[in-house]
Amino acid sequence: MIQHAAGIMQIDADYVAHGLASVYLIRQGDRLALIETGTAHTVPHVLAAIAEQGLTPEHLDWIILTHIHLDHAAGAGALMAKCPNAKLVVHPRGAAHMINPEKLEAGTMAVYGEDNYRKLYGALIPVAAERVVEAAEGFTLNFNGRTFTFFDTPGHALHHVCIHDSLSNALFSGDTFGVSYRIFDTAEGGVLLFVTTTPVHFDPQAMRASIERIAALEPAAVYLTHYGPVAADNTNVAQLLASLDAFVAIANAEKEQKEGRVERMAAAILDWLMARAQELNPALDDALRRRWLATDARLNAQGLEVWLSRQEKSSQ
């Protein structure tokens, strides 16, 4: 657990590898809120962090999801079962899937296979409808005297919100403000930051608008689920938008050659990311860079494939 400003605690989600995904426990007086739940395997770490605060699960009032992709939300039902006073806050498009997760679970299992699905995510537990709060654009939440304001931020997912915290002037961005792994950070404060275009709702225009909206809020920090706080300064916004333009250009270059294009897009994205990482931190081992970036390159290519297919269907 990493302690940040204004009672914000970052907990590693124990997802695939340390430093890949996080959740945020926020303390205000003797009350707690959690942003993101991680997977079912994250739940013991959250409960341990609560205990380290000298508090109990009964002190957790709000469990907030930026969106319902399972690396962010699979632990919601299990954690709600442990925290009797908590309400689950989620985008209106995601609420039904938390109340009845069968379709969400079946769809994910079909992609990963049951064994791998269980290893990654555990099991989805339904959340009682009366404990679910839908957070649409402009929704505000009074968390023991500090205000959370919700912004509808599509681009990565249609069921995505970002949350502004009044006390810290920080924004919790889920996947809308990209990903940035601390392994790439430089001693001078440089970070590698790039968008995530994973399936199935990627929309480049909406993503650009959401990124620019976050930057316009001028938050003191943006807390990424993957992984930790970054600045919303001009340099970071520029590299984030550059990655968006690069990934879209890679996809558009493959429009006419459907056979094998996911593999070609993944290779091109990986080459682009490797080049940016090399420019930022040339001392970092090349194999280490590749190990950290290859999965994102493949997932981003899969999301771009869905986007291209959607365009092709709409033009028919």
Side-chain angles (χ1 to χ4, degrees), residues 127-189:
V127 178
E130 61 269 20
R131 298 182 68 190
V132 176
V133 176
E134 295 185 6
E137 167 68 27
F139 178 77
T140 59
L141 195 63
N142 182 351
F143 171 47
N144 204 24
R146 69 202 282 180
T147 301
F148 294 151
T149 303
F150 290 72
F151 297 93
D152 192 351
T153 50
H156 175 77
L158 290 172
H159 44 75
H160 203 300
V161 292
C162 291
I163 304 100
H164 180 267
D165 169 33
S166 64
L167 184 63
S168 62
N169 187 29
L171 188 127
F172 297 85
S173 66
D175 285 345
T176 297
F177 207 71
V179 300
S180 181
Y181 302 122
R182 304 282 61 83
I183 191 75
F184 295 106
D185 291 359
T186 70
E188 297 74 29

Side-chain angles (χ1 to χ4, degrees), residues 206-228:
M207 181 170 281
R208 177 177 293 275
S210 291
I211 291 167
E212 290 175 344
R213 187 179 193 194
I214 290 170
L217 292 171
E218 299 184 348
V222 179
Y223 285 89
L224 313 178
T225 302
H226 313 282
Y227 178 86

Side-chain angles (χ1 to χ4, degrees), residues 76-138:
L79 195 57
M80 289 287 287
K82 298 284 188 181
C83 302
N85 297 324
K87 293 288 184 71
L88 181 70
V89 187
V90 61
H91 190 286
R93 286 180 177 266
H97 292 288
M98 293 292 99
I99 295 166
N100 182 4
E102 289 182 6
K103 184 177 179 181
L104 181 61
E105 187 166 56
T108 309
M109 204 176 291
V111 173
Y112 288 97
E114 184 170 359
D115 289 345
N116 199 32
Y117 169 84
R118 299 294 181 198
K119 181 180 178 182
L120 284 172
Y121 303 114
L124 300 189
I125 297 174
V127 178
E130 61 269 20
R131 298 182 68 190
V132 176
V133 176
E134 295 185 6
E137 167 68 27

Side-chain angles (χ1 to χ4, degrees), residues 7-301:
I8 300 169
M9 293 161 272
Q10 180 184 347
I11 304 167
D12 192 272
D14 193 19
Y15 178 69
V16 181
H18 178 75
L20 190 71
S22 56
V23 304
Y24 295 98
L25 185 67
I26 306 173
R27 180 168 183 167
Q28 179 71 358
D30 66 347
R31 308 312 300 176
L32 298 169
L34 184 75
I35 297 179
E36 313 286 46
T37 68
T39 73
H41 310 304
T42 311
V43 172
H45 303 296
V46 173
L47 296 177
I50 292 172
E52 284 183 28
Q53 294 295 303
L55 300 174
T56 69
E58 286 76 11
H59 291 91
L60 185 62
D61 293 330
W62 302 104
I63 296 174
I64 301 168
L65 304 178
T66 62
H67 61 302
I68 64 168
H69 289 169
L70 295 189
D71 52 329
H72 299 251
L79 195 57
M80 289 287 287
K82 298 284 188 181
C83 302
N85 297 324
K87 293 288 184 71
L88 181 70
V89 187
V90 61
H91 190 286
R93 286 180 177 266
H97 292 288
M98 293 292 99
I99 295 166
N100 182 4
E102 289 182 6
K103 184 177 179 181
L104 181 61
E105 187 166 56
T108 309
M109 204 176 291
V111 173
Y112 288 97
E114 184 170 359
D115 289 345
N116 199 32
Y117 169 84
R118 299 294 181 198
K119 181 180 178 182
L120 284 172
Y121 303 114
L124 300 189
I125 297 174
V127 178
E130 61 269 20
R131 298 182 68 190
V132 176
V133 176
E134 295 185 6
E137 167 68 27
F139 178 77
T140 59
L141 195 63
N142 182 351
F143 171 47
N144 204 24
R146 69 202 282 180
T147 301
F148 294 151
T149 303
F150 290 72
F151 297 93
D152 192 351
T153 50
H156 175 77
L158 290 172
H159 44 75
H160 203 300
V161 292
C162 291
I163 304 100
H164 180 267
D165 169 33
S166 64
L167 184 63
S168 62
N169 187 29
L171 188 127
F172 297 85
S173 66
D175 285 345
T176 297
F177 207 71
V179 300
S180 181
Y181 302 122
R182 304 282 61 83
I183 191 75
F184 295 106
D185 291 359
T186 70
E188 297 74 29
V191 303
L192 179 68
L193 183 64
F194 56 93
V195 297
T196 171
T197 63
T198 53
V200 292
H201 293 152
F202 172 62
D203 180 327
Q205 290 182 325
M207 181 170 281
R208 177 177 293 275
S210 291
I211 291 167
E212 290 175 344
R213 187 179 193 194
I214 290 170
L217 292 171
E218 299 184 348
V222 179
Y223 285 89
L224 313 178
T225 302
H226 313 282
Y227 178 86
V230 297
D233 57 23
N234 291 337
T235 298
N236 283 346
V237 171
Q239 69 164 319
L240 197 57
L241 293 177
S243 70
L244 176 61
D245 291 341
F247 294 175
V248 169
I250 287 168
N252 283 330
E254 295 290 347
K255 274 186 176 181
E256 305 305 321
Q257 300 292 331
K258 296 182 185 180
E259 186 68 29
R261 71 180 174 189
V262 172
E263 291 75 17
R264 293 192 302 275
M265 287 191 293
I269 292 168
L270 181 57
D271 287 346
W272 191 89
L273 289 172
M274 289 286 287
R276 302 291 84 71
Q278 166 70 22
E279 291 171 3
L280 177 69
N281 193 349
L284 201 63
D285 179 71
D286 194 66
L288 184 63
R289 288 193 202 101
R290 187 172 297 273
R291 189 160 67 246
W292 272 89
L293 295 171
T295 297
D296 278 292
R298 184 172 65 254
L299 289 172
N300 285 346

